[in-house]
Amino acid sequence: MKREGKSCANEKTARIIRRYHHYLRLEKSLSDNTLDAYLRDLDKLMDFLEGEKLDILQVKLTDLELFVTGLHDIGIHARSQARIISGIKSFFHFLILEDILETDPSELLETPKTGLYLPEVLTVEEIDQLIEAIDLSKKEGQRNKAILETLYGCGLRVSELTHLKLSELYLEEGFIKVEGKGNKQRLVPISPKAVKEIRLYFSDRNQIEIKKDHEDYVFLSRRGTHLSRIMIFHLIKELATAAGIRKNISPHTFRHSFATHLLEGGANLRAIQCMLGHESIATTEIYTHIDRHMLRSEIIEHHPRNNPRRKPPMVSKNKD
């Protein structure tokens, strides 16, 4: 019976999307490329809702905000996020026009700023606080510790972490193989600390009854399936609350912190580009702006011209 209900729901949604397709083509007169872009963006939302077991006609603003947060966490640029949000708003506007919905859940959905974006960064002390907030008495405690050490120690995107495979770990050599955007693979150094925590987690992992086709994933849920991006997002939020950290952080914050701390420590920008898997050095250069901000703060604080408490040197007057 449940399967039939789900089938009916899917069929109803499919009919709505077909009507929306006709609306875009006939009433909005969109080009084929623009129309395809709108429908691809809508597909992203549908995939998210399916994963969250939500019906498109019951969506709330908080659901859409979580979806947008997920776009940010997997590294989608602010301009692309803005385009996706525009497409989603168009779809819900259509639902209102067709009297399918009475209220528009996307009306208050904010579009990210597309200017220069300096991402939130954690200090090393704040990262330590987050890790110390993990309750190791819980079954998933050691797993969560290994997750945070890997996120921060390797600068991974959250999707790269959730899809990390046992067959991609070269712990003896101190590397992991990561599959990033566009199925591009790269080797990333892994810290001895992260290696230690992963190995400790393996003893817990061996007690899990792993579901078929999930055997090769490193990080698993208690149900024996690989973790979702949303689960990692919730984990980070919970730990931030427990640690008393008020910054608005997400899994992607660990990636930003990884790159920033490397740059502050003197790492070469090209090396950081390779480790992050950025196709263009221009993407990596955002961290030089963070470094410049830090430099300015240091100058303001320590330069004698900016320190009002510093007394000017005494000038001796020569008498003729």
Side-chain angles (χ1 to χ4, degrees):
M1 293 296 292
K2 287 184 179 179
R3 176 174 289 184
E4 289 178 8
K6 184 177 179 181
S7 176
C8 289
N10 287 342
E11 187 177 330
K12 181 179 180 181
T13 302
R15 285 201 302 270
I16 291 173
I17 293 175
R18 284 197 295 270
R19 287 169 61 184
Y20 179 57
H21 187 162
H22 293 316
Y23 164 78
L24 293 177
R25 181 179 293 279
L26 301 177
E27 295 191 37
K28 302 292 288 183
S29 302
L30 298 184
S31 67
D32 288 343
N33 288 340
T34 305
L35 188 147
D36 287 343
Y38 269 67
L39 295 179
R40 279 198 305 271
D41 293 340
L42 182 58
D43 283 343
K44 290 182 177 68
L45 176 62
M46 292 301 182
D47 289 341
F48 166 79
L49 295 178
E50 184 178 349
E52 295 294 302
K53 296 180 172 58
L54 293 171
D55 188 286
I56 187 66
L57 301 183
Q58 298 174 338
V59 167
K60 299 177 181 177
L61 174 62
T62 51
D63 301 320
L64 296 177
E65 289 174 337
L66 192 57
F67 167 69
V68 173
T69 299
L71 297 178
H72 169 72
D73 287 347
I74 61 175
I76 293 180
H77 193 276
R79 289 190 183 88
S80 298
Q81 290 180 44
R83 189 205 68 232
I84 293 170
I85 292 170
S86 175
I88 290 169
K89 284 178 174 285
S90 168
F91 176 69
F92 282 106
H93 177 68
F94 162 77
L95 296 182
I96 297 295
L97 287 176
E98 294 290 309
D99 294 324
I100 298 172
L101 286 180
E102 293 183 2
T103 58
D104 183 355
S106 72
E107 186 176 4
L108 299 177
L109 188 61
E110 294 184 357
T111 301
K113 296 178 182 179
T114 56
L116 177 62
Y117 169 60
L118 299 182
E120 193 78 81
V121 174
L122 294 167
T123 64
V124 175
E125 291 75 21
E126 287 171 330
I127 288 172
D128 288 340
Q129 289 170 27
L130 282 166
I131 293 174
E132 288 168 6
I134 296 170
D135 186 351
L136 292 177
S137 67
K138 293 184 177 180
K139 288 185 177 180
E140 64 272 19
Q142 182 56 47
R143 180 205 67 188
N144 294 345
K145 192 173 184 181
I147 284 173
L148 261 63
E149 288 289 357
T150 306
L151 264 179
Y152 173 59
C154 298
L156 301 184
R157 299 179 178 94
V158 66
S159 57
E160 294 170 348
L161 177 99
T162 58
H163 288 87
L164 188 62
K165 307 285 180 57
L166 294 174
S167 55
E168 296 169 339
L169 301 181
Y170 302 92
L171 301 184
E172 292 293 335
E173 295 82 0
F175 285 89
I176 61 174
K177 185 169 70 174
V178 177
E179 187 168 301
K181 289 184 177 180
N183 300 322
K184 292 182 179 178
Q185 296 182 341
R186 66 186 190 278
L187 285 176
V188 178
I190 184 169
S191 69
K193 178 65 174 171
V195 170
K196 175 188 173 184
E197 300 303 338
I198 288 175
R199 283 182 167 148
L200 288 172
Y201 156 63
F202 282 162
S203 61
D204 295 331
R205 187 184 184 280
N206 291 337
Q207 306 302 314
I208 299 173
E209 186 177 339
I210 303 173
K211 297 289 176 63
K212 185 181 178 183
D213 298 328
H214 293 260
E215 297 89 349
D216 198 24
Y217 289 98
V218 175
F219 297 111
L220 300 172
S221 68
R222 282 179 288 180
R223 298 188 304 275
T225 59
H226 79 88
L227 300 177
S228 68
R229 292 179 286 110
I230 299 301
M231 292 171 72
I232 304 294
F233 175 84
H234 286 310
L235 167 64
I236 300 300
K237 289 293 186 183
E238 289 171 3
L239 289 176
T241 300
I245 293 174
R246 299 182 180 276
K247 292 179 179 178
N248 183 24
I249 66 171
S250 71
H252 217 61
T253 308
F254 286 81
R255 181 169 162 88
H256 294 316
S257 304
F258 164 83
T260 303
H261 296 164
L262 280 177
L263 189 66
E264 290 174 357
N268 180 278
L269 200 61
R270 290 285 181 185
I272 298 173
Q273 177 191 4
C274 291
M275 285 185 279
L276 292 176
H278 287 161
E279 187 171 341
S280 169
I281 191 70
T283 308
T284 316
E285 283 176 345
I286 181 69
Y287 299 104
T288 64
H289 294 289
I290 298 173
D291 197 46
R292 287 173 197 149
H293 178 73
M294 182 192 69
L295 179 62
R296 183 179 183 279
S297 299
E298 292 289 313
I299 292 172
I300 293 296
E301 182 177 354
H302 299 294
H303 195 281
R305 286 288 184 260
N306 302 313
N307 192 340
R309 292 171 296 180
R310 184 179 183 273
K311 295 181 179 179
M314 296 295 294
V315 178
S316 60
K317 296 182 179 180
N318 295 325
K319 295 182 179 180
D320 294 334

